[in-house]
Amino acid sequence: QRMRHFPQSKVEYILASHADPDVVASLNRWLVQTECKLVIPSLWSRFVPHFCTQNQPDRLVRVPDRGGILPLGDAYIAALPAHFLHSEGNFHFYDPVSKILFSGDLGASLVSNARAGQPVKDFEAHKARMRGFHRRYMVSNKILKLWVQMARQLPIDMIVPQHGAPIMGKQAIGDLFNWLEGLQCGIDLFDQRAYQLPSAEIDPISRQV
């Protein structure tokens, strides 16, 4: 099905924003069935053999922490630093021709399959579907602000996360940026209450047989 519109012989790159299984669990099939190269954060490149039947280091493109420009025909793809959103080594990928930013877990929303196919143009009505995920999986407001300051420099027509609905249009994208800049998340929300010794009386972990 994935080759219905594009022959596998033409696949040049597989872009891995980070090494979580929901990103790279199918990696072995891609490397076996195509001649592509894997673009992955340098930090996570040493984990690739855990997902593959063969070690093929010559097919790895290791992206340094600063990011970089990936040539693609007469154009290019930009690998943008997105560290700690949510992974320690993480990149987003920007296509300057379509002006689409592929944002990994940033911008993800918990929606039905049908809704995921409908671009969001009214962010205010959508953000409730994003709040819980971002508060837990994004590391801190400081990191969100640094990322937004970088992303505002790009002309972006659509932000496409790996989960949920894409966000389209200048107004909705601007509203997303404003929301992220003010969001308390991750370590902002933790204090000593999250780090207490468990009790056998009140914190039993059920045993499943």
Side-chain angles (χ1 to χ4, degrees), residues 1 12 16 20 34 43 61 67 69 76 86 100 104-105 108 118 120 175 179-180 182 185-186 197-198 202 207:
Q1 181 67 23
E12 187 166 347
D20 278 359
T34 79
L43 179 68
V61 179
I69 301 299
Y76 67 89
H86 67 104
I100 293 176
D105 286 290
Q118 302 172 4
V120 172
D175 289 344
W179 180 73
L180 291 173
C185 59
L197 296 176
I202 63 175
R207 181 179 180 179

Side-chain angles (χ1 to χ4, degrees), residues 29-135:
R29 293 185 64 185
W30 284 103
L31 293 179
V32 169
Q33 296 181 13
T34 79
E35 297 299 319
C36 72
K37 292 184 179 295
L38 170 67
V39 181
I40 192 167
S42 179
L43 179 68
W44 293 118
S45 61
R46 65 185 182 276
F47 287 83
V48 171
H50 294 289
F51 293 91
C52 300
T53 55
Q54 298 178 347
N55 187 17
Q56 303 182 60
D58 58 317
R59 295 176 68 181
L60 296 185
V61 179
R62 298 169 177 84
V63 184
D65 281 351
R66 181 175 171 80
I69 301 299
L70 186 68
L72 186 64
D74 296 330
Y76 67 89
I77 297 293
L80 307 178
H83 308 303
F84 298 102
L85 299 173
H86 67 104
S87 174
E88 296 89 338
N90 192 33
F91 289 94
H92 296 162
F93 295 98
Y94 175 70
D95 174 9
V97 176
S98 65
K99 297 182 175 60
I100 293 176
L101 175 62
F102 297 92
S103 61
D105 286 290
L106 189 72
S109 54
L110 304 179
V111 299
S112 66
N113 288 341
R115 189 181 289 273
Q118 302 172 4
V120 172
K121 298 182 180 180
D122 180 0
F123 180 76
E124 288 301 311
H126 180 69
K127 65 183 181 182
R129 305 181 184 102
M130 301 172 55
R131 184 177 293 111
F133 180 89
H134 284 72
R135 281 167 61 89

Side-chain angles (χ1 to χ4, degrees), residues 140-166:
S140 73
N141 180 253
K142 173 183 177 180
I143 298 299
L144 287 174
K145 285 180 176 177
L146 293 172
W147 181 88
V148 169
Q149 185 174 348
M150 175 190 68
R152 285 190 189 276
Q153 301 175 56
L154 293 170
I156 302 173
D157 288 344
M158 183 183 291
I159 292 178
V160 180
Q162 68 182 34
H163 304 292

